[in-house]
Amino acid sequence: MKVVAFNGSPKKEGNTYHAIKMVAEELEKEGIEVEIVHVGNKTIRGCLACNACVKNNNEKCIIDNDEVNEWIQKMKMADGIIVGSPVHYSAIGGTMKSFLDRAFYVANTGFLRHKVGAAVVAVRRSGGVTTFNQLNNYINYAEMLMPSTNYWNVIHGMRPGEALEDEEGRQIMRVLGKNMAWLMKLVENGRQTIKEPERENKILTNFIR
């Protein structure tokens, strides 16, 4: 099994990276491969709301001059996905949000459904939970399965590496990694004995009479 983790921090080995790495170490102990993709230092424009990905139905964003389509395929091929972001004004980092908006719009076809997904956040002081909730919106919307831990998935630190000194945060990430590995194995083994529910087509609210 494989997990692909997306690091939304501009810093390659900042505290978001360290949070992801803590989760990854527990996954790797259980024989699960982890690939970390650095998103936050790229130039990624936001979704154009053109709906071309839906019309074309080819698992691609119409913007093709960046790495987003490559990352979408990594998501499709993975068994689990981690999305990690620093906190920028109590919200997801801009580059990471641009990527997530486009990737999850393309994924409306359902290829992320019932994969295991987790979000992690690194923050200096405040805004960690709001950012965590925003990341979870993507996971929930895609009908992914979400492991829990013993607190919210937020770790604290300002300078790169300071998150390693957050003992509680380290435990949060460690427990998350263990629970994610366990859930992934439940899903993998469960598919052999329990039939998945059929996917329903999305119904959009319409107030036209």
Side-chain angles (χ1 to χ4, degrees):
M1 287 187 289
K2 180 174 181 178
V3 167
V4 60
F6 295 96
N7 176 8
S9 172
K11 297 180 174 65
K12 184 177 180 179
E13 295 189 2
N15 291 315
T16 304
Y17 167 83
H18 286 294
I20 292 171
K21 193 67 177 172
M22 292 173 200
V23 179
E25 286 173 357
E26 299 303 322
L27 292 166
E28 289 166 346
K29 288 177 184 177
E30 295 298 321
I32 298 171
E33 178 187 352
V34 181
E35 177 185 2
I36 300 177
V37 177
H38 194 192
V39 174
N41 68 337
K42 304 296 194 302
T43 301
I44 306 295
R45 71 164 300 161
C47 178
L48 299 175
C50 64
N51 217 34
C53 60
V54 176
K55 294 174 184 175
N56 294 335
N57 194 27
N58 60 358
E59 297 178 354
K60 290 183 178 180
C61 176
I62 196 171
I63 303 171
D64 61 1
N65 61 349
D66 56 30
E67 295 94 334
V68 169
N69 284 325
E70 175 188 342
W71 298 339
I72 288 170
Q73 290 306 306
K74 287 182 182 290
M75 295 168 75
K76 180 182 179 181
M77 299 305 296
D79 303 288
I81 296 167
I82 298 171
V83 290
S85 179
V87 175
H88 292 178
Y89 291 92
S90 291
I92 302 168
T95 302
M96 185 63 170
K97 188 175 190 306
S98 292
F99 159 60
L100 293 174
D101 284 350
R102 288 167 55 191
F104 278 81
Y105 203 165
V106 171
N108 273 332
T109 55
F111 62 76
L112 296 182
R113 185 173 182 258
H114 295 167
K115 292 182 185 289
V116 176
V120 299
V121 174
V123 63
R124 180 190 72 82
R125 184 173 178 87
S126 299
V129 172
T130 56
T131 303
F132 176 54
N133 289 339
Q134 289 167 350
L135 291 170
N136 285 340
N137 288 337
Y138 295 94
I139 296 170
N140 284 320
Y141 187 81
E143 289 189 68
M144 298 178 73
L145 306 175
M146 191 183 303
S148 61
T149 180
N150 61 1
Y151 207 70
W152 293 273
N153 305 355
V154 180
I155 199 164
H156 289 77
M158 183 172 71
R159 296 178 181 84
E162 283 188 352
L164 297 171
E165 302 174 25
D166 180 0
E167 187 173 351
E168 183 178 4
R170 288 168 57 190
Q171 184 188 58
I172 290 166
M173 300 304 158
R174 188 168 61 247
V175 173
L176 176 62
K178 292 177 180 179
N179 287 345
M180 185 173 187
W182 182 68
L183 180 56
M184 289 177 66
K185 291 181 179 182
L186 286 178
V187 172
E188 182 71 16
N189 292 320
R191 283 197 176 105
Q192 301 172 18
T193 56
I194 302 174
K195 183 180 178 181
E196 292 184 70
E198 293 184 8
R199 181 172 181 260
E200 293 194 19
N201 293 326
K202 179 70 177 175
I203 298 175
L204 299 178
T205 302
N206 191 332
F207 295 105
I208 298 175
R209 297 180 184 277

